[in-house]
Amino acid sequence: MSTRLSSRIYNPAALEVWFRNVGVDWEQSFSREALRRGREIYLKSQISGVELAAKDAIIHCKFARKDTCYAVIEWTMEGPHVRCSADDADLGDAVAVGGLYEIEELIADEIPPLRYEPKENAEDETELVGEASVEEADERPARLLTPRLEGADGGLRLTAYWTNPDFSKESAFRSDEVPLLSAEREVLVRLTGRSKEAGFEFRRDSNDFLIRDPERIAPFFSHTLKRWEAAFDFIDLDYEAQIMAQGVRQVKIIGRVESSERDTMCVDWRFKLGKAWLDPEDAERLARAGRGTHIIKGLGLVRIAEEQSAALAEWRIAATNHSEAAQVWPRYMVFSLFGERGAELDLEDELKSWRQAMMEVSAEETVELPDFLRPYQAQGVHWMAHLREQACHGLLADEMGLGKTLQVLTLLNAYPFEDKNSLIVCPASVVPVWENEVKRWYPNLNTKVLRGSDHFEDSDAPIPTLWIASYTQLRRHKHLLDQHCFGYAVLDEAQQIKNPDAKVTQACCAIKAECRLALTGTPIENRLLDLWTLFRFLMPGLLGSRRRFEDAVESPSAELRAGFEERLRQQIAPFILRRQKDKVGKDLPPKVEMDLICPITDFQKQTYEGLLARGKEELGDDLQAAMQSQAMNFFTLLTRLRQTCCDPGLIPGIDADLKQSGKIQMLLTRLSEALGGNGARKVVIFSQFLQLLKRLKPLIEQEFPDVAIFELSGETRNRAKPVESFQKKKGPAVILVSLRAGGTGITLHAADYVFLLDPWWNPAVENQAVDRVHRIGQDRRVFVYRMITQGTIEERIQHLKKEKRELFENTLGHLGSAKDLSEHFNDLEELAKLLPPE
């Protein structure tokens, strides 16, 4: 039965008149069928309005399908007289009966109830019932109403019984109830009204009331019951209700974790309430019910906190690839991101020792490795071998240029899977690099490149074979992955799978392997979700669900975010190995980095301000709104502004000489210093804009006719040829490299000067480019120049990068998404306005 929502219109005088009217035994004026039907209308809350006047009452009734009618009750010497808007007189009588019960409830709410006090004679009883007739009092005295509360499977059940003067009891909610005395009717109406206010619903089939929502039961006992006790002499509670009245108790969830096999563990979830353990059936029911308050027979009201429920849900999600009934997980789940929140893990001693050993691992030299490895490289090989031995998987995140490729090939050679093939997945441009490195260091390894005609089902391929596949080819051969299990599966430049929704990411996550490894010098290229995606490939389930991970990263609470990041750092620490060149590459010469602030010419300034003015006119000045509603136009504007900073001639419709760029003028000056004299310097020039490199080449040829010039871009078919020619060239040389084509997979350590023509907001991309030069094998100091046009958007972005570089090195934080712009700049003017020189 729903909570009463009827409208009530009356004044105190009319209320007193109707208090006297309903005080008599008005039910005798209606047939038994009208009383039954009227009670049903009342209990179903179909009375939608009551208007009381001194001479009559108007009762509005609303049925299903929006059918409505009203009845007018006039009180005469003979009792109630009914007129109805419907043609059905019986319906009119039923509506009137329901309305009179509604009036009684109104009177019970507004006029203090009479307390039951047994009297000596009928005269006293007449005082009790007020306007009730003497004949009515002579028949029997008023009975005492006792509400009874019982614990039930569906909630809290309310019944009531009458206690006769001889102490016998009768149910108060009988459908065939004899006519009530006015005092009895008043107290019963009071109970009915209060039960509905408390959230009880009437059940016609069982003639009782029930609160189904456990969340409303505890407030009922803590607040409502006290008011009931003031209105009724006694409230009868059975044992289950008495336990509920004690309040809600918090459940403690403990997972007993024991070793299952060498690489798995078994978790037995147990629920504890105080000092008592719940039986398995109740525990399982609670686990499936999830967060909130629940009723447990014999224990009353128990609560599972939201964090506990979320932890249980995460464990179940993590078990999707395993038998949920057996509750078996990979052993690495001991380090689960959600293992120490909500649900407590009780580890057996063997697992405690294993976990501690993983956290304090120092790679043991179980196999002798080649002498040509540097000490830190040998340590990396042993570290990866240790992870394999413990059925764990790892992220080798050494800074670029420290020889991740060599370390992996040494691992495959020294710790092979004798009966399984292995798989290396890398960008297409890096496939030849892996082939060459295998031939150079371990020519004994059998290698094959995955192509349309050569694939995993090749019957001629010996076992074990090292397959080398581009990300594109792997995606095309995804349908073959279900049929193969590899020994090692290695993702090189693993940031390629940073988008968890991309098809190439799904293909990589479909790889089955005994040992999975990811290689990248930039584990977080754009955002923290990059790290979640990498570990989804390495150890599914370790970092929980994507949704919960993203919720934690984007939490509005700085304190919660900081706690999450600290916990994340600790939990992934055993599975990440990152070394930096300035720490382990002692034989590397220093790297000198500096920003070259370039002047802006009048022509550049005119072009820049014109673009910005048109952009503000089209997009408005609200940066957040522009990014959300016109993202394509917004980023087109940013690209045009950046191009203007480099060369106005890149803008469609603008014809400009390249020397009209202050940045190009500065570049020519610096090239004169680097390429002149007897130094025989070699220079690498990076740009994201291929057209800029094409316009720059003839200018350099004109200015430096004796200098060899090479090109490497996405249009270069044989990438190895210009790189090899540049490396071997005697004398000064320049190589023009597009970031897309030359950011990975090549070695340019013959150079000692690097110019970044158009640096942008992601330092990871820049570092990849710079480390083509500053890497193992470099024997000269490397000078890196980031060319920034003064007062432009480039300068603001450079300041933003410097603020976030430290966060990136801590493997936490994000940089590279548009979100950073909206967080640090309020409007387009603040982001891109051209500022005068200081």
Side-chain angles (χ1 to χ4, degrees):
M1 184 175 181
S2 60
T3 303
R4 183 74 60 203
L5 295 175
S6 62
S7 63
R8 297 167 170 180
I9 301 174
Y10 61 91
N11 57 50
L15 193 65
E16 289 294 333
V17 170
W18 282 93
F19 175 67
R20 292 192 296 272
N21 289 343
V22 299
V24 302
D25 189 9
W26 57 264
E27 289 178 322
Q28 293 183 357
S29 301
F30 297 93
S31 67
R32 185 175 292 275
E33 175 60 23
L35 290 172
R36 183 199 65 76
R37 194 173 178 187
R39 289 172 182 167
E40 182 177 302
I41 288 173
Y42 169 71
L43 291 172
K44 286 184 176 180
S45 300
Q46 292 175 333
I47 300 299
S48 59
V50 173
E51 300 177 38
L52 297 184
K55 294 183 178 180
D56 58 26
I58 303 175
I59 311 300
H60 298 273
C61 186
K62 186 174 182 179
F63 300 101
R65 301 183 303 279
K66 300 184 179 181
D67 294 336
T68 61
C69 73
Y70 67 87
V72 179
I73 306 174
E74 297 177 325
W75 210 267
T76 67
M77 294 296 292
E78 291 78 22
H81 175 71
V82 179
R83 292 181 287 113
C84 182
S85 64
D87 295 333
D88 186 349
D90 292 336
L91 175 63
D93 285 348
V95 171
V97 169
L100 287 168
Y101 285 133
E102 189 79 20
I103 293 171
E104 287 186 330
E105 180 183 335
L106 170 60
I107 291 171
D109 286 341
E110 298 298 328
I111 298 178
L114 299 175
R115 299 298 298 263
Y116 174 77
E117 297 179 6
K119 301 297 180 179
E120 296 292 333
N121 50 49
E123 183 180 349
D124 294 329
E125 182 61 32
T126 303
E127 286 182 28
L128 172 69
V129 299
E131 296 295 324
S133 65
V134 175
E135 292 78 11
E136 188 180 35
D138 286 341
E139 291 178 5
R140 59 178 175 82
R143 298 166 293 177
L144 176 67
L145 180 68
T146 300
R148 176 172 172 76
L149 297 169
E150 303 172 354
D153 290 340
L156 179 64
R157 181 172 180 256
L158 168 66
T159 59
Y161 56 83
W162 299 110
T163 301
N164 295 308
D166 62 358
F167 299 109
S168 62
K169 295 180 174 60
E170 300 177 67
S171 171
F173 295 153
R174 291 165 50 191
S175 59
D176 59 345
E177 178 63 77
V178 297
L180 301 175
L181 299 180
S182 59
E184 292 174 341
R185 186 164 54 248
E186 178 188 332
V187 72
L188 186 59
V189 167
R190 174 61 62 117
L191 175 61
T192 302
R194 294 199 172 198
S195 66
K196 290 179 288 184
E197 291 174 358
F200 285 96
E201 297 179 4
F202 183 73
R203 300 192 298 181
R204 182 179 177 187
D205 57 342
S206 54
N207 282 318
D208 61 7
F209 288 84
L210 188 72
I211 293 182
R212 302 177 187 276
D213 184 1
E215 298 287 352
R216 300 195 66 171
I217 295 176
F220 170 80
F221 280 114
S222 62
H223 299 93
T224 309
L225 187 60
K226 294 179 181 178
R227 296 196 297 269
W228 283 32
E229 290 170 345
F232 304 98
D233 287 290
F234 177 68
I235 309 292
D236 186 5
L237 278 68
D238 75 347
Y239 175 72
E240 294 293 337
Q242 291 177 38
I243 298 176
M244 291 184 191
Q246 296 174 9
V248 180
R249 293 189 289 172
Q250 187 72 38
V251 171
K252 188 174 184 180
I253 302 177
I254 300 175
R256 176 59 181 171
V257 188
E258 299 177 347
S259 297
S260 176
E261 297 179 2
R262 187 186 69 86
D263 56 352
T264 58
M265 65 183 189
C266 183
V267 182
D268 178 19
W269 290 110
R270 302 177 185 181
F271 287 56
K272 195 174 186 180
L273 198 62
K275 296 182 178 180
W277 293 95
L278 272 63
D279 65 58
E281 290 186 5
D282 288 337
E284 179 62 22
R285 186 156 64 89
L286 276 179
R288 293 187 179 279
R291 67 181 180 181
T293 304
H294 308 281
I295 301 171
I296 298 295
K297 188 174 182 180
L299 298 174
L301 299 171
V302 300
R303 171 174 287 277
I304 295 181
E306 181 175 358
E307 194 170 67
Q308 293 174 313
S309 179
L312 284 176
E314 291 287 0
W315 279 97
R316 291 184 182 278
I317 291 171
T320 52
N321 294 328
H322 306 276
S323 171
E324 185 174 342
Q327 296 287 282
V328 174
W329 282 270
R331 184 175 284 209
Y332 62 70
M333 288 294 288
V334 165
F335 290 90
S336 165
L337 178 62
F338 45 86
E340 297 176 2
R341 293 192 303 159
E344 178 182 325
L345 296 183
D346 178 19
L347 303 182
E348 69 173 3
D349 291 342
E350 191 271 336
L351 280 174
K352 285 182 180 178
S353 300
W354 178 82
R355 178 177 181 173
Q356 190 63 29
M358 286 297 299
M359 295 177 69
E360 299 176 353
V361 61
S362 57
E364 299 178 1
E365 298 186 9
T366 55
V367 173
E368 186 176 349
L369 300 179
D371 294 337
F372 53 73
L373 293 180
R374 289 175 168 82
Y376 73 86
Q377 293 175 328
Q379 180 193 22
V381 174
H382 289 304
W383 175 79
M384 291 184 286
H386 177 79
L387 288 181
R388 169 190 164 178
E389 181 64 26
Q390 301 303 324
C392 292
H393 314 272
L395 172 60
L396 182 58
D398 284 346
E399 199 172 31
M400 288 166 285
L402 291 182
K404 293 186 290 293
T405 302
L406 177 57
Q407 292 176 66
V408 168
L409 291 178
T410 303
L411 174 73
L412 270 60
N413 185 72
Y415 298 90
F417 284 93
E418 300 292 350
D419 58 346
K420 284 184 171 66
N421 295 330
S422 289
L423 174 65
I424 304 288
V425 187
C426 59
S429 60
V430 186
V431 169
V433 175
W434 279 93
E435 288 185 287
N436 292 334
E437 291 294 285
V438 171
K439 294 176 182 177
R440 178 182 178 186
W441 301 108
Y442 299 104
N444 58 298
L445 294 177
N446 296 309
T447 61
K448 288 186 72 71
V449 176
L450 180 67
R451 296 188 178 93
S453 57
D454 293 330
H455 48 73
F456 307 133
E457 294 183 338
D458 187 352
S459 59
D460 296 331
I463 295 180
T465 292
L466 172 59
W467 285 92
I468 303 173
S470 69
Y471 284 100
T472 301
Q473 286 294 334
L474 184 77
R475 177 174 56 81
R476 292 174 180 171
H477 289 82
K478 180 177 180 294
H479 62 283
L480 299 178
L481 294 175
D482 289 340
Q483 307 165 29
H484 296 273
C485 181
F486 297 94
Y488 291 102
V490 182
L491 302 187
D492 187 19
E493 302 294 348
Q495 71 273 9
Q496 297 281 333
I497 66 165
K498 62 187 177 184
N499 180 0
D501 300 317
K503 291 183 178 180
V504 67
T505 304
Q506 296 168 11
C508 290
C509 290
I511 299 171
K512 293 182 290 186
E514 295 290 330
C515 181
R516 294 182 293 277
L517 298 168
L519 313 181
T520 175
T522 55
I524 303 175
E525 188 172 73
N526 288 329
R527 49 183 178 161
L528 203 56
L529 186 62
D530 297 352
L531 198 61
W532 181 88
T533 310
L534 288 177
F535 275 91
R536 176 190 174 196
F537 163 75
L538 292 171
M539 289 178 277
L542 181 71
L543 301 189
S545 69
R546 174 181 174 183
R547 178 176 179 179
R548 191 174 180 194
F549 190 93
E550 288 180 320
D551 287 347
V553 171
E554 298 171 1
S555 170
S557 168
E559 183 179 354
L560 290 178
R561 289 198 307 272
F564 166 77
E565 292 172 355
E566 178 60 29
R567 189 167 56 252
L568 173 62
R569 183 186 294 110
Q570 292 175 358
Q571 291 177 328
I572 64 176
F575 312 110
I576 293 183
L577 181 63
R578 178 171 176 80
R579 279 81 58 88
Q580 294 172 290
K581 285 181 289 192
D582 59 348
K583 300 294 193 302
V584 298
K586 300 298 183 180
D587 54 344
L588 265 178
K591 177 176 60 176
V592 179
E593 300 183 66
M594 63 188 74
D595 293 347
L596 279 183
I597 306 302
C598 306
I600 185 169
T601 66
D602 291 340
F603 189 79
Q604 276 182 293
K605 181 178 179 180
Q606 179 183 351
T607 305
Y608 187 97
E609 290 182 332
L611 288 170
L612 183 57
R614 288 195 297 273
K616 289 175 60 178
E617 183 178 345
E618 295 175 2
L619 302 173
D621 205 33
D622 189 329
L623 192 61
Q624 186 70 33
M627 289 168 54
Q628 291 179 350
S629 62
Q630 303 185 66
M632 186 66 70
N633 293 338
F634 172 72
F635 283 108
T636 297
L637 172 63
L638 295 189
T639 300
R640 294 305 185 209
L641 291 174
R642 292 176 56 219
Q643 288 175 327
T644 303
C645 292
C646 295
D647 171 19
L650 298 177
I651 307 301
I654 293 182
D655 184 15
D657 186 271
L658 189 55
K659 288 188 178 182
Q660 289 182 297
S661 164
K663 184 178 291 188
I664 298 303
Q665 293 175 10
M666 175 72 75
L667 174 66
L668 294 176
T669 300
R670 292 289 176 165
L671 287 178
S672 297
E673 299 172 1
L675 299 174
N678 300 319
R681 303 294 188 182
K682 290 188 176 180
V683 177
V684 181
I685 300 175
F686 283 105
S687 175
Q688 297 178 57
F689 303 123
L690 180 59
Q691 187 61 31
L692 176 59
L693 297 178
K694 289 182 176 180
R695 283 170 57 84
L696 186 58
K697 182 181 179 181
L699 179 60
I700 296 177
E701 289 175 335
Q702 176 184 335
E703 296 290 329
F704 306 98
D706 298 328
V707 174
I709 300 178
F710 304 92
E711 293 178 277
L712 177 60
S713 69
E715 298 176 353
T716 306
R717 293 192 175 184
N718 186 348
R719 288 162 43 91
K721 184 176 179 180
V723 171
E724 184 177 356
S725 300
F726 175 80
Q727 289 282 92
K728 294 180 177 179
K729 174 66 179 176
K730 302 296 184 180
V734 173
I735 184 168
L736 304 171
V737 184
S738 69
L739 277 179
R740 180 181 297 273
T744 60
I746 62 173
T747 295
L748 297 170
H749 56 50
D752 48 3
Y753 276 79
V754 177
F755 290 90
L756 298 168
L757 285 185
D758 43 276
W760 195 221
W761 61 48
N762 193 336
V765 175
E766 290 183 4
N767 291 340
Q768 284 181 319
V770 171
D771 286 325
R772 301 305 99 202
V773 177
H774 191 247
R775 60 196 297 112
I776 300 301
Q778 177 61 263
D779 56 7
R780 289 182 293 184
R781 176 179 298 184
V782 175
F783 293 88
V784 179
Y785 297 102
R786 291 178 177 84
M787 307 195 72
I788 311 295
T789 299
Q790 186 176 45
T792 66
I793 187 175
E794 288 187 333
E795 202 164 32
R796 257 90 88 204
I797 295 299
Q798 192 64 13
H799 288 309
L800 175 59
K801 283 195 304 188
K802 289 179 179 178
E803 290 177 10
K804 287 210 163 187
R805 191 176 299 275
E806 182 177 352
L807 289 176
F808 174 82
E809 282 304 325
N810 289 336
T811 324
L812 289 170
H814 62 285
L815 184 65
S817 64
K819 180 179 179 182
D820 293 289
L821 298 179
S822 61
E823 285 181 350
H824 291 79
F825 300 99
N826 296 321
D827 52 48
L828 193 57
E829 183 84 1
E830 184 182 2
L831 170 64
K833 180 181 178 181
L834 188 61
L835 300 176
E838 297 183 358

